[in-house]
Amino acid sequence: MKIIDYCSYFQGSKVYLNLFNSLSKINVSNTVFIPVRESVEASSLREKLYFAKCLGKLTRFFYFYKLLRINKAASRELSTLADTDYLIHAHTLYADGVPAYCYARKHTMPLVITIRTTDVALGFKFYFHYKWLANKALAYANKIVFVSPAHKIKFQHYFGHCYDNKLIVVPNGIDKFYLENKLTSAVYKNKNRVALYVGAINKNKNLKASIAAFFNISINSDDEFRVVGGTYKEYVDIYGELPVNLIHRVNFLGKLSKEQVLGQMRSSTLFIMVSHSETFGLVYIEAISQCLPIVYTLGQGVDGYFNDGEFGYRANSNDIESISQAISKTTTDFPHGLGPFVENPANNFSWGSIATIYKEQVYK
């Protein structure tokens, strides 16, 4: 089975490389077409990569010009692959799906399109005047993939239900390190409540609200909020100084190794990340692999993969009271962490299992 992947965001995420490597193990060959702004040297990756320098300042503002440039580059780079033995997988709708549709239709090749956060949060809002073009690509596609069930719902609100027979939800996979070290029941917990956040510090991650919500319901002066992935200076640059009464209760640990993150997850009471938008949020599943309950975002990321209250509670990212209530319910319902499990539910998010779904259900 041979796939041409239109993958504009290949360089910004390890998700794609993990997927392609897992597919290669089950005899799916990926050729990756990557439109870029600057020349890039292909590294020693297992996939065949085509970095096409075809983007620039004008392509950021003129969508049809961007399509023209990408289509010209694809015709040049992929000319030897233009036959029906290949299936094209576009990994976003507007950046990849529409140009991939142009190429697929010209060469009568089957097409799969994935809808991601960049489409739901930005494309639907700012590219509404290109909805007619997106509809052409979606109508041609064999399958339409969603990483998040919440994105599928938003897609149906925006495009209606005319594509329902093509829709499929397929999660991302987590690093095998967490699966190899997964737990079936929680280990040592501190007597005080320890909230954990793991990720970059930026406005989207809504960290200030999560910290405020946690301490809104804190009844123990020893309760602590730990931040992995950034420094206090980075926090101040985005959100400003913490209140004086919280500075000594929020511990910024910076970037840690996977082994150190694992230790933090095992010694925390709950994981909190109520981002404004998330395509998936691998760290939620990584937390579950360590039997750490989660507080996550309503209508984003992992919301919809499991029932609210099954492994933690969801919250409205724009409502601190909603976040506080989710934290309170999570600590009440899971005082000793998640489990015990016969099998940790994170097993369902292995890249091997996901690659099989793509081969047998998406690319068939």
Side-chain angles (χ1 to χ4, degrees):
M1 183 176 288
K2 297 183 290 186
I3 312 295
I4 295 174
D5 295 273
Y6 271 60
C7 196
S8 295
Y9 300 101
F10 177 84
Q11 294 171 280
S13 175
K14 294 181 180 179
V15 164
Y16 305 110
L17 182 58
N18 286 328
L19 174 61
F20 301 152
N21 281 340
S22 297
L23 286 169
S24 71
K25 295 175 182 177
I26 54 174
N27 298 318
V28 177
S29 173
N30 293 86
T31 298
V32 190
F33 174 71
I34 310 161
V36 294
R37 287 183 170 80
E38 298 178 357
S39 298
V40 178
E41 290 186 11
S43 59
S44 56
L45 299 174
R46 297 173 68 178
E47 290 69 40
K48 193 170 185 180
L49 306 180
Y50 290 86
F51 288 98
K53 186 182 176 183
C54 57
L55 304 180
K57 291 182 179 179
L58 289 178
T59 61
R60 295 181 64 183
F61 302 104
F62 300 101
Y63 187 60
F64 276 110
Y65 180 62
K66 180 178 181 178
L67 293 181
L68 180 65
R69 295 277 294 173
I70 293 176
N71 287 337
K72 185 176 180 180
S75 295
R76 180 181 67 249
E77 300 289 347
L78 305 176
S79 59
T80 60
L81 310 179
D83 63 64
T84 53
D85 288 341
Y86 282 85
L87 177 148
I88 297 181
H89 184 173
H91 289 270
T92 61
L93 174 56
Y94 288 99
D96 299 315
V98 173
Y101 155 71
C102 296
Y103 191 85
R105 182 176 178 181
K106 178 180 179 181
H107 298 286
T108 61
M109 302 165 74
L111 175 66
V112 168
I113 297 175
T114 294
I115 309 296
R116 296 185 180 275
T117 294
T118 185
D119 299 309
V120 175
L122 300 177
F124 293 0
K125 182 177 181 180
F126 296 110
Y127 280 26
F128 62 90
H129 45 298
Y130 296 118
K131 185 176 180 179
W132 64 275
L133 195 53
N135 267 310
K136 286 184 175 293
L138 295 167
Y140 181 88
N142 301 68
K143 290 284 186 181
I144 302 168
V145 182
F146 302 87
V147 179
S148 165
H151 288 168
K152 176 184 173 182
I153 294 171
K154 291 180 179 180
F155 173 90
Q156 290 171 317
H157 285 163
Y158 188 76
F159 285 103
H161 292 273
C162 56
Y163 304 118
D164 280 4
N165 64 324
K166 301 181 179 184
L167 309 185
I168 183 170
V169 179
V170 185
N172 286 332
I174 66 171
D175 192 308
K176 65 179 182 180
F177 170 81
Y178 291 95
L179 294 176
E180 290 171 350
N181 292 280
K182 64 183 180 294
L183 302 176
T184 54
S185 61
V187 292
Y188 168 78
K189 298 295 178 184
N190 295 292
K191 291 182 179 179
N192 56 309
R193 289 178 180 176
V194 178
L196 180 67
Y197 167 87
V198 180
I201 297 178
N202 56 50
K203 287 185 178 179
N204 177 59
K205 295 299 184 180
N206 203 28
L207 183 56
K208 181 178 180 179
S210 294
I211 292 172
F214 176 71
F215 288 112
N216 278 350
I217 62 164
S218 173
I219 57 175
N220 187 333
S221 61
D222 292 329
D223 288 350
E224 179 186 358
F225 197 112
R226 296 177 184 170
V227 178
V228 173
T231 64
Y232 183 53
K233 183 182 182 302
E234 290 175 312
Y235 179 90
V236 171
D237 289 343
I238 300 294
Y239 298 111
E241 298 280 355
L242 281 167
V244 175
N245 65 315
L246 296 184
I247 288 179
H248 69 287
R249 302 178 69 183
V250 182
N251 191 359
F252 289 83
L253 302 174
K255 294 182 179 179
L256 302 180
S257 67
K258 288 186 289 189
E259 290 79 9
Q260 291 171 316
V261 172
L262 196 78
Q264 291 297 328
M265 288 180 170
R266 291 181 175 184
S267 63
S268 297
T269 309
L270 75 165
F271 177 83
I272 305 173
M273 189 171 79
V274 189
S275 310
H276 291 304
S277 66
E278 284 287 344
T279 291
F280 182 66
L282 294 173
V283 69
Y284 297 117
I285 308 302
E286 291 167 356
I288 290 172
S289 78
Q290 303 308 306
C291 292
L292 182 64
I294 62 175
V295 174
Y296 56 102
T297 310
L298 172 68
Q300 294 289 334
V302 296
D303 187 19
Y305 275 113
F306 34 76
N307 296 324
D308 192 33
E310 190 173 358
F311 305 119
Y313 286 90
R314 61 191 184 185
N316 182 339
S317 65
N318 295 304
D319 185 349
I320 290 180
E321 180 59 30
S322 173
I323 302 173
S324 291
Q325 289 178 3
I327 293 170
S328 180
K329 288 190 288 186
T330 301
T331 54
T332 298
D333 288 4
F334 305 100
H336 306 295
L338 300 176
F341 301 116
V342 175
E343 281 289 339
N344 190 294
N347 279 345
N348 297 324
F349 298 87
S350 72
W351 277 115
S353 299
I354 291 161
T356 300
I357 293 173
Y358 272 102
K359 182 176 181 179
E360 296 180 355
Q361 298 182 42
V362 177
Y363 296 154
K364 64 177 183 179

